[in-house]
Amino acid sequence: MYKKRLRQKAMLLVVLLGFFIILIMPGPKTDTQDEVPEEGERLVLPKDEEHTVVPEEVWEMPGADAKIRVLILAEDGGIYHKDQTLKRSYPGELQYYEEKEGWVIVNEVPLEEYLCRVVPSEMPSSYAREALKAQAVCARTYAVWQMREYAYPAYQAHVNDSVSYQVYNQIDCQESTNEAVEATKGQIMLYEDGPVKAYYFSTSCGSTTDENIWEKGDHTQSPYIASRRVGTSTTERDLTDEEIFSEFIRKKHEGDFEISEPWYRWSCYVPLEQIQKNVETWAKARAERSQDGILLEDGVEYVQEEVDTIGAIQSARIIRRNHGGVVHEMLLTGEEGTLKIKYEYNIRLMLGIPGGEIQKNDGSTGEGSNLLPSGYFVMEEVREDQSLVGYQIYGGGLGHGAGMSQNGARVLAEQGYGYDEILQFFYHEIRLARLE
């Protein structure tokens, strides 16, 4: 009797256990069942945190609490002010140096505060957050690189506040750019054993170049700045070849990040008379500031000589391109001589059309200036009654074209790339470090 009752209890226990298991088991899934956990059960990281980088490497000079000294240019672009009055307020300390030509004013300001006034002056504050963060790191790195020596030793100023270095305090601090500076606080780019020359520009034509575009540039010392396609194309093209580059710049290429930007492609007409005016305005001044940027033909050689005029311009011809397709050397022939113009800035000056019209990629018209928009262009002769009267120029991009394209960075940011990935895209094999 006892064993029988024990068996009954055991069976009852098994039944109850089975019933309990059935209760806790999930039911069969139906077609309408959501396989994703409810929103409240999901771990969702804020987008801004997806690309947060905390560099392990430390760079000790100039230190996280460094101050940069900025020479404030006068309204005429010179260093001398008529008096001590400035139209804008400045953080930090203003120092005044009285000279016979006028007052020299230097602003000594903490580096991070300086950046809060550089980033919105160099990139629209409405740009995507990751692009603004990339710009902040570029601006900080460029400043640190410049702080190794003084651009104005007499006043111990590292930089001035213009496009010659970085535009500073032309636009007030903005919330979005302040946040970008704070989010990347102290972060700079390094290559091998030092900070990089973090050059940047507005818009690419779909290609960038190296720093050989400048007279003192040496791409072997800055291999992190190199020619690259700014898009998804992996096709290899030798854009230093005139025919290949001509085909490239006359078309729009699917996959180029900036294909919809106004300055991605542009065209303008430059008459010979305007080129002659440019030579008379700029050639002598640029020759005095350069060792080999403006050279005069002397037999079979080109030499550095004082240039007053080469007479009425008869022709212009591109003779060499740098990596990425940017024009590197051009010949200007006049009735009284021939000039060899080297480096993108000098070339853009000689073909500038102040007051002229430039047809942009989006169909709008822009006003020309002393500088051609970029050095990425080809020239097509325009003739009247068989006589050469000027050139139709087909070009692309805005700015010098070396380093980071700011609009390219914006597009990458809008596609979900983090600022560190954007920087890696434009600067080869760099690494992030932090000032301490």
Side-chain angles (χ1 to χ4, degrees), residues 13 24 29 32 63 70 84 90 112 127 160 178 183 223 225 234 255 267 281 296 300 323-324 356 369 384 406 411:
L13 183 61
I24 65 174
K29 294 182 180 179
T32 59
V70 188
Q84 299 180 14
Y90 288 82
E112 298 299 312
Y127 275 22
N160 67 38
N178 283 354
I225 298 177
T234 57
S267 65
T281 302
L296 185 65
V300 296
H323 296 294
S369 68
E384 292 181 1
Q406 293 169 307
V411 173

Side-chain angles (χ1 to χ4, degrees), residues 12 54 58 73 108 118 139 160-161 249 253 256 261 273 282 305 317 320 369 430:
L12 180 60
V54 181
V58 172
L73 295 180
E108 183 174 270
V118 167
N160 67 38
D161 61 349
I249 201 67
H253 304 277
D256 281 2
E261 291 299 311
E273 291 89 346
W282 301 110
E305 278 190 20
R317 180 165 64 92
R320 183 184 169 197
S369 68
I430 56 92

Side-chain angles (χ1 to χ4, degrees), residues 298-349:
D298 183 10
V300 296
E301 297 181 342
Y302 288 89
V303 298
Q304 185 180 20
E305 278 190 20
E306 185 173 308
V307 180
D308 290 320
T309 181
I310 56 173
I313 296 295
Q314 297 176 323
S315 68
R317 180 165 64 92
I318 296 167
I319 59 173
R320 183 184 169 197
R321 294 186 181 275
N322 191 30
H323 296 294
V326 64
V327 178
H328 193 68
E329 294 183 3
M330 180 178 68
L331 294 182
L332 295 179
T333 300
E335 292 179 342
E336 301 174 22
T338 297
L339 289 177
K340 177 185 282 189
I341 313 297
K342 298 175 64 176
Y343 311 116
E344 64 90 32
Y345 187 85
N346 291 334
I347 292 168
R348 291 166 64 193
L349 270 179

Side-chain angles (χ1 to χ4, degrees), residues 20-171:
F20 177 74
I21 291 173
I22 291 172
L23 285 176
I24 65 174
M25 284 181 63
K29 294 182 180 179
T30 66
D31 292 339
T32 59
Q33 226 172 338
D34 189 359
E35 298 184 22
V36 181
E38 294 180 6
E39 192 67 33
E41 297 175 349
R42 255 191 247 169
L43 178 61
V44 180
L45 294 175
K47 185 172 181 56
D48 289 343
E49 292 185 11
E50 292 178 6
H51 301 298
T52 299
V53 177
V54 181
E56 295 182 2
E57 187 171 356
V58 172
W59 184 258
E60 294 183 353
M61 295 295 291
D65 58 349
K67 294 182 179 181
I68 187 170
R69 291 176 58 83
V70 188
L71 188 143
I72 309 301
L73 295 180
E75 290 185 15
D76 63 2
I79 69 172
Y80 300 109
H81 297 254
K82 294 179 180 179
D83 52 43
Q84 299 180 14
T85 304
L86 293 173
K87 291 185 176 181
R88 297 178 177 275
S89 61
Y90 288 82
E93 179 184 354
L94 289 173
Q95 299 177 359
Y96 304 88
Y97 301 84
E98 187 175 11
E99 307 285 4
K100 63 180 181 179
E101 298 91 345
W103 290 91
V104 176
I105 305 177
V106 174
N107 182 203
E108 183 174 270
V109 57
L111 179 57
E112 298 299 312
E113 291 191 41
Y114 167 76
L115 295 172
C116 286
R117 289 161 175 79
V118 167
V119 177
S121 298
E122 289 283 4
M123 176 179 277
S125 60
S126 60
Y127 275 22
R129 178 173 170 80
E130 295 300 313
L132 293 175
K133 288 160 70 175
Q135 178 66 56
V137 176
C138 283
R140 186 181 294 107
T141 306
Y142 184 82
V144 168
W145 186 76
Q146 292 288 345
M147 289 169 69
R148 299 176 307 164
E149 57 186 41
Y150 296 116
Y152 300 90
Y155 311 105
Q156 295 186 322
H158 302 106
V159 295
N160 67 38
D161 61 349
S162 77
V163 293
S164 296
Y165 295 91
Q166 297 188 114
V167 180
Y168 167 62
N169 206 32
Q170 296 303 302
I171 295 180

Side-chain angles (χ1 to χ4, degrees), residues 236-296:
E236 295 288 339
R237 302 186 189 206
D238 180 10
L239 296 180
T240 64
D241 181 272
E242 191 67 27
E243 185 175 340
I244 293 174
F245 182 78
S246 180
E247 181 183 5
F248 170 82
I249 201 67
R250 291 171 185 267
K251 295 180 180 178
K252 299 180 183 181
H253 304 277
E254 186 177 354
D256 281 2
F257 294 150
E258 294 153 285
I259 193 170
S260 299
E261 291 299 311
W263 289 106
Y264 170 74
R265 291 288 180 268
W266 50 263
S267 65
C268 63
Y269 171 65
V270 184
L272 291 182
E273 291 89 346
Q274 181 62 58
I275 299 176
Q276 184 174 344
K277 289 179 183 178
N278 296 340
V279 170
E280 293 170 352
T281 302
W282 301 110
K284 182 177 180 179
R286 295 302 297 174
E288 290 174 350
R289 299 181 60 179
S290 169
Q291 291 185 349
D292 70 340
I294 310 289
L295 301 174
L296 185 65

